[in-house]
Every structure is written in C-alpha cells, then in structure tokens.
Amino acid sequence: MGLNGSAVAKEAADVVLLDDNFASIVTGIREGRLLFANLKKSIAYTLAHLTPEVLPVLMWGFAGVVQPQGSMLALCVDLLTELVPATSFVYEEAESLIMKQPPRNPKTDKLTSFNLLFYAYAQGGLIVTGGCLFYFFRAFQHYGISPLQVMNNNNKFFPAESDDRVIISSHDGREYDSSEQKEILQSIFSGWYLMIVIGQVSHLFQCRTSYLSIFEHGVFRNKMATFGAVLAVCLACFVVYCPGIRDIVSARNPVSLEVLYASLLVSGAMWAYGEGRKYFIRTYPDSPITKVLVW
C-alpha cells in the first residue's frame, strides 16, 4: 500500500498502490493494454504507405516502367501529410473488448510481429498501391497511351532521353515531345501522391480498431483522427495545386475524373477489406486464417 504501507514493504513489493485502492490494478492493466494496442495501430498505419512508395522504384529499376512517383512528393507523404494522422492514435480510446483479451506473452507477443508487418505491407499497403496503379494506367489512357506502351517504356520516355524523342499515342496517333512528356509525368506524380494520401485516410479509420468494427467503436469518436484525415487531404491538395509549391515538388494538375474514380475504388476497397477482416476475426477466432490476419 502506497499510503499506509511501510517503507520496507514498498521496497520489497513488485506493485505499489499509490491510492491504496485495489481497483487501481485493473485501471493500470487497462491503460497498459491501451498504450500497447495504440502503438501497434500507429505502426501498422504508418508502415503501409511504404509499399506504394517502394514499389514504383522497383517497377522503374527492374522492369523499365515509367516512374510514377516523384522523390519530393514521397517526402511530402513522410514529412507532411502523415504526421498528424499517425500521432492521432495517442487519443484513441480503448476498444470495448480490450479487457476480455487474454494476457499477452511477452516472449512472443512483440510490438512489431510478422502478422503486423504482413498486414501493413501486403494487405493495407497493397490496397493503397492498387488505387495508385489504377490511376496510373487510367491517366495514361486519358492521354491515349496504352498500358503496353507504359510497360514497354524501357526508361526511354517520361522523361524522354533527348529533346527530339517523341512518343506516339497508340490510340489516336497524337505525338508528345519531351516537354509534353514532362507535363504528363508530373500529373502522374500528383495523382499517385493523392492516391497514397486518400488511401491512407481510409486506412487510418480502419487501423483505429484491431478486431472491433469501426462503426461500433465510433467513426468520429477520435476527433484528432478526424482532424488529421481532413488536414492530410487539404495539405495534399495544397501541395499539388498551389502555384509555386507544385513547381518545387514537380507536380501538375492530375486528371481529375480519374482521381475521383481511383479515390472511390481505394476507399471502398479499404473499408470493405478492413471490416471484412475484423468480422472474420470475431466470428472465427480459432481459425488458422485468423492467426494470420490478427495482429
């Protein structure tokens, strides 16, 4: 006991109750579980955007595909739009079933596990990447450039190797010189960047719960997360559309209609998969698949 216990008892004790109330043990366990859970959620959310950032480099380096993301815009994701959403998990309240979960094994239940990394990179990250790729190919088709031309680019176009290198549209025969290719490429940069931000906004809401439906937990319960989501989208639009700023980050106006289509696709897919994954975990807790899906 912290108030009435002797100094010798306090020194020998593993736990000291500062208010001499045994109910404080339950409160302390709950707060510890909440802290651990929110750290895992923040890590799962933050790591997911690395997939759509690394994959373009691999596509460009090993397959000769057009580089769909600019380096400055990648930094804008890491250093600008992700900061407030990632830290908003500090304000996340505990899920209703948090005290019904069995105690974690400190030897096996680590803060970052294979399941968490698998979720972040191969599930959430791939869904965001899917929205980026959808915009990528649809935007090129908008300019009459087929996916086959994009895949067979071999790093000769976008940007062009020389000022006189012209790519001809396979759709209607339009020709794009080096300056026009640069404009198209920068619009691709912008769309890819916006898809990462919009995909991560949907991912933010799904990461706020690990097994409980976000609708049951409360979509707008965490006001800081809601603010962070709105702020991220506003900052992304500012970077892409603001004159002067977009010149620094090599951005141009993206194809608006394709951005809308891709946004609906990536948001719908993220919400559907996230809610479906958590429903499966709650319904079939002993399934071998659940052991892979849960983190």
Side-chain angles (χ1 to χ4, degrees), residues 29-193:
I29 294 174
R30 180 184 176 86
E31 290 300 315
R33 289 187 173 193
L34 175 60
L35 175 62
F36 189 82
N38 285 348
L39 280 172
K40 292 186 73 172
K41 293 171 184 178
S42 181
I43 293 171
Y45 165 78
T46 305
L47 292 181
H49 77 259
L50 295 180
T51 302
E53 287 185 345
V54 173
L55 188 61
V57 179
L58 299 178
M59 292 168 55
W60 172 75
F62 293 99
V65 180
V66 177
Q67 169 67 280
Q69 185 181 35
S71 57
M72 292 298 294
L73 287 174
L75 289 176
C76 287
V77 174
D78 299 326
L79 305 178
L80 185 65
T81 56
E82 290 280 76
L83 293 181
V84 176
T87 55
S88 68
F89 289 97
V90 174
Y91 302 92
E92 194 62 51
E93 296 182 20
E95 299 180 54
S96 60
L97 302 177
I98 191 170
M99 292 303 290
K100 295 182 180 180
Q101 300 297 312
R104 70 181 184 89
N105 187 335
K107 295 182 179 180
T108 58
D109 299 334
K110 303 297 184 180
L111 191 60
T112 53
S113 60
F114 169 81
N115 284 20
L116 186 143
L117 297 177
F118 178 67
Y119 168 79
Y121 293 135
Q123 297 173 55
L126 281 183
I127 292 175
V128 177
T129 305
C132 295
L133 289 173
F134 179 86
Y135 171 82
F136 177 71
F137 289 110
R138 291 281 297 182
F140 271 116
Q141 285 186 324
H142 172 80
Y143 293 103
I145 301 170
S146 68
L148 186 61
Q149 286 181 288
V150 176
M151 300 299 292
N152 292 334
N153 174 59
N154 293 325
N155 297 329
K156 295 180 180 179
F157 305 101
F158 303 104
E161 288 182 335
S162 59
D163 292 338
D164 59 348
R165 183 172 287 277
V166 175
I167 187 170
I168 301 176
S169 166
S170 62
H171 178 66
D172 54 12
R174 283 181 291 176
E175 296 185 354
Y176 298 104
D177 58 24
S178 59
S179 61
E180 291 171 325
Q181 290 177 42
K182 182 179 179 181
E183 292 285 330
I184 294 174
L185 183 62
Q186 291 181 346
S187 74
I188 298 296
F189 288 171
S190 300
W192 190 281
Y193 169 65

